[in-house]
Structure formats: structure tokens, C-alpha cells
Amino acid sequence: MSAASVTGKFDIIIVGAGFAGMYMLYKAREVGLSALVLETAGGVGGTWFWNRYPGARCDVESMQYSYSFCEELQQEWQWSERYASQPEILNYANHVAHKFNLFRDIRFNSRVSSAIFHEGERVWQLSTDDGEHYYAKWCVMATGCLSAAQRPNIPGLGTFKGEIYHTGNWPRQPIDLAGRNIGAIGTGSSGIQVIPELAKLAKHLYVFQRTPNFSIPARNQPMDSAYEAEWKQSYAERRTAARKMPAGILSHIGTNSALAVSPEDRLAEYERRWAAGGTGFTAAYSDLLKYEDANSTAAEFVRKKIREVVTDPAVANLLAPVNHPIGSKRICADTDYFATFNRQNVTLVDLRANPLQEVSEHGLTAGTQLYELDTLVLATGFDAITGALSKIDMVGRQALSLKEKWQNGPNTYLGLMTSGFPNLFIVTGPGSPSVLTNVIVAIEDNVKWIADCLAYLKTRGAETIEATASAEEGWMEHVGQAAEGTLYIKAKSWYLGVNVPGKPVVFMPYVGGVPTYQKICEEVAADGYRGFTIEVHTEGLRTR
Ligand code: N01
């Protein structure tokens, strides 16, 4: 049956056809549920569907940034580079959707605008922008952590006569940026990837920087066939080993304190990691994200490297981050980012000294200077982790709205459910490790847990499952305490929501790491879903 001809009633509705939604659909079928996926975009891939900007690339190695649930899939797929580019990851997502026949249950171009729980019938009603209504007993929000692009509130932005592109919502059709005067705002992971590519195309590129970021060379390269073969020989074992690592990434994690080794040994280790490339740099020592004095050894090393690459000392100084510990904001991986500022056609504009005043018809004014531009690229990030959920008008029991419930910050139990919203699961929700990991590992673990839970509920004829308020309170306290013990809270980052005006400032991901989190989730399930209320319908009575 094609998605266009199905009726609006299902066992389960999944919102989002990114890596989380696709795997959830696969697992829901295994449980024997009728399922529909609703997706805003015109295709699968989630964040990799939208982030099509030049230079978009994953910073987790290809051999690891992929599904592990199917041996045949991981053996047959061939990655062409150490770090896969956006088009290749999108091809992979499409390959998976074809291989497992997922398309037939996905309805594209369907943005869910509301999700309402009807308490009497114990059913979720999901309504889309185009006026369709769908009903299901179970609902899974697979809406992604970095899927709600954040446009800055700059005076006059709407008056600009040139084109404006957001990296997180890049057009599908090719755009010609050659020979243009381009302005780029934002120097996070997206900015650091797009800026070197824009510089190659632009007549002149102006980079408007408010806060510099730490970035490590990616050292991307064509896939080494021997390396690929090594992985494929023992893929399953390697995936298991990766799940024993805090970030779910198989890597060399230093167990020493940065301060327990000699300065010479420390320097050698940083040099080795700098040469190897990639975000594993901050895993050199066990306390880099715990103590500022340990952290500053790594931060100073990177600042020195930036000063070595950038020829103009004043520009190098502006690019060297000093206002946050290295790794406390998501560390970036780049290809020639710092060297880009040696180009004649690139100018760095320091927005701290010359604050952004306005955008007008022909350009952007920072300080007192007008920069005339043809194109403006916004690499200004996302309303992360909760943004996609808060765009949906979600109403649970007793007309409780999620916006109201989360007005002081998101509350969940294990990141998987929120009390007052029965039968509604979240994949990589706030309070789970999500963005601090190889997110495909986090997705697979969450989805598998949800599918096992649904099978358990099905066997028992359960009507509802809901997190208890006390389990949720206890979990959020634990999530908060775990973050307090780290340097993550020392940076004004999107992890805390500070990049979105008016968003409550709360550290959203769980820093406990994949193994600890997964152990807790498994124990909760083994203990009959401790902390959840399960309602079973027996002979006309509902029991808990
Ligand atoms: O967003 P960001 P991103 N005026 O929030 C600036 C993942 N990702 O899209 O720091 C001027 O990090 C803002 O400045 P400041 C990855 O997890 C992964 O780059 O607020 N500037 C900052 O420089 C990443 O962390 C990959 O002072 C303004 C930038 O915009 C996450 O996505 C690739 C401004 C936003 O940086 C988000 O990264 C890409 C304003 N009004 C993304 N508003 C890979 O896998 C914002 N800024 C490699």
C-alpha cells in the first residue's frame, strides 16, 4: 500500500525521516506495528537533507557514522573518504530507505503542526500544515537535535536585496556564488566548513565573527582501502567496542591527567593528535573537560597553531579563542579554515570591536562601516535539541502543553519520555547523551529501547505508558549534577540554549556518556520499566 492511499489511523506515527525516524520505522515493523512517518522535507536524511552548504561534511569518521544494525548493510556500503561529505551521507540514507523498503510508509512534504493526546480514547492526533489529520496509539518524535535553523534577529535583514542563505536550510537547486561579494555570519562548525569553500568562489568574502572557535584539522583523505578492510573484517566487534566509549566512538582515549605528564610528553601527544586530525584531539587526557588548568594546556597548544598558520598577527589574535575552554563548545574539524584568512580576497571583521548594526538593501553595517554584499550566508546555528519539538503545538493529558511544561527548561525521564505525555517517545531527547556522541549510536540505542518497550507493552496488552513525575525529577537532577562537574557549563553554547533569545538556559544533553546511560536504560527496562506507569486494560477495568 502506498503512503498516499493509507487511511489516517496507525499503531504508531513517527515524526521525522532522518536517521532516527528511518530506523524507528524499521523497528516498528519488526514489532508488528502499522506505522507512518511524517516528514517536512521532500526526502529522507534529516539534517543531511537540509545542510547542503558547500563543504558540509561529517566530523565523525565514515566507518563509524553509519548504522550498525545490519551486517549486510555495513559490509556492502563503501565510503569514499575518511569523513563523508553531505551528498555521500544523503546517498547512504537513500540507499538504506530503498534497501529496507522504507519509502512506502513515509509521507514527505508533511510538516506536523500539532500533536494532541485524546485522553478518553488514549490516542494521539497529529495534524499537518496541509490540513491532514492522523491518529495513532503510539507516537515517536524523531525530529532531530539540530534541525531547527536559527535565523538571527538582525535589524533590516528583510530589506537586503541580495540572496540570503542559511547553512541549515540550504537550497536544493545549485546556486552560483562565483565572483560575488559574500558576507558570512557565524564561525561555529558550519561556518568553519563553509567559509573556506566560499572563499574559493567569492570575489571577496567578509567573515563577520562574534566569537572565535577552536578547530582541529580534519585531515580528510580518500578512504584507505586497507583501513576499510580492517573495519569490515571485525565490524560487529568494533561497534561493540565503540559503545563502551563515552562518545560511542572507537578512539584512543587518554586515561592520564594532562597535568600528570611532563610538558614534553604532553606537547608530543598534542602534536600527534594534531597531525592525526579530527575531534579526538580533546580525548588526549582524562581531565581536559574537568579542570581549567588541564584544559588550558590544550587550548594554548591550539592557539599557538593558529598563530603559526595565520600570517597577519592581528588576524591570528582575533581567530584564537580565549573566552571558553577548548571542547566546552562543540569542537570543530576543518579543512584549511585558518589558512583561508591568508587569502587576499578574505577579510575578517571583528563584531566585538565593530558590532553588527544593521543589514540594509546593499549590505551590512558593522561598527561604522558598510560592507557592500551580493550574498549573505548565515551560519548562525540551530535552536538545538528542543527547537523542532517546540515548533509543534504539543498537548498531553489534561490539556497540558509541552511549551508550558518546558517553559523553564525541558524535563524528561532518560530523555525518552516526558510526564503528562503518555505514549509519546522522543529519540535523542533532552536529558540523553545525543549531541555529545556519535549521534547514530545514540539514535540506534534509543530506537532499540523504544522498540523493545513497545514489544513489551504489546505482549501485555498495555494501553499507555508514561514517565512518572518523580522519576523525571530524579533524572533531571542527575543530568544537571553531571553537567555541573564539567567545563561544559563554562561556555555560552547551544548546549545551554543561550544562542536563542528567550530560551531557558539549561544544559540539555546528558554528559554521563554512552555506556553509563545505556546501562541505566537497560536496567530500567529489566526492572519492569521502573519509573514509568503502565496502564493495562483488563475486563473493562484499567489497572496500573
Ligand atoms: O552553529 P553554532 P553551527 N550575530 O551555534 C554566530 C553540528 N554541526 O551551525 O558564538 C553574529 O555552533 C555564533 O556566534 P556566537 C555541530 O554539533 C556538525 O555552526 O554566538 N554572530 C556562532 O559563531 C555544531 O556544533 C557539523 O558569538 C552570530 C555561529 O553563529 C552544531 O551543528 C557541521 C549571531 C553559530 O554557531 C551547530 O553548528 C556543522 C548574530 N546575531 C554543524 N547569531 C559536522 O559534523 C549567531 N552567530 C562537521
Side-chain angles (χ1 to χ4, degrees), residues 60-61 64 82-83 227 231 238-239 241-255 269 272-273 277-284 438:
V60 175
E61 283 194 11
Q64 306 209 43
R82 178 184 183 191
Y83 295 104
Y227 184 70
W231 265 85
R238 283 166 188 250
R239 300 286 201 179
R243 280 181 159 78
K244 293 188 176 138
M245 303 278 174
I249 300 173
L250 192 55
S251 60
H252 298 289
I253 299 184
T255 50
E269 178 62 7
R272 197 185 64 71
R273 287 186 183 250
T279 58
F281 182 83
T282 43
N438 171 0

Side-chain angles (χ1 to χ4, degrees), residues 143-152 166 168 379-392 403 406 410 430 435 493-504 506 508:
T143 42
C145 292
L146 296 161
S147 43
Q150 179 67 17
R151 259 173 101 93
H166 192 293
T380 47
F382 300 89
D383 181 353
I385 302 177
T386 54
L389 290 173
S390 55
K391 280 186 174 176
I392 302 172
K403 280 192 190 80
W406 286 6
V435 292
S493 71
W494 56 260
Y495 295 143
L496 282 148
V498 290
N499 62 325
V500 178
K503 189 167 175 171
V506 175
M508 293 178 282

